[in-house]
Amino acid sequence: MKNTGKILIGFLAGAAAGVAAVYLLSPKVREEAINEIKDMADKIKAKINEELEKAKEAAENMKNEAADL
């Protein structure tokens, strides 16, 4: 039974590696994956810029409040 489990795990790992290889080697799929990654990076960049602006505004508000004291 132990060997059967190891064989099954090996088979599943090999199948996963095969699927990953086909996925990454297929030009159309690779291009789609690259575009998805670029879109995700753009969204993350926009969110970071948005949060940075909020932080700048908060810092400016604190600066102004401190000056009023």
Side-chain angles (χ1 to χ4, degrees), residues 27-61:
K28 183 178 179 182
V29 174
R30 183 176 55 230
E31 185 177 325
E32 290 174 2
I34 290 170
N35 288 335
E36 286 180 20
I37 292 169
K38 285 180 181 179
D39 290 344
M40 191 182 324
D42 289 341
K43 288 178 184 177
I44 291 170
K45 183 179 175 182
K47 186 66 174 172
I48 288 171
N49 286 334
E50 180 182 317
E51 294 300 322
L52 182 59
E53 286 301 316
K54 288 180 184 177
K56 286 179 182 179
E57 289 176 15
E60 187 65 30
N61 289 341

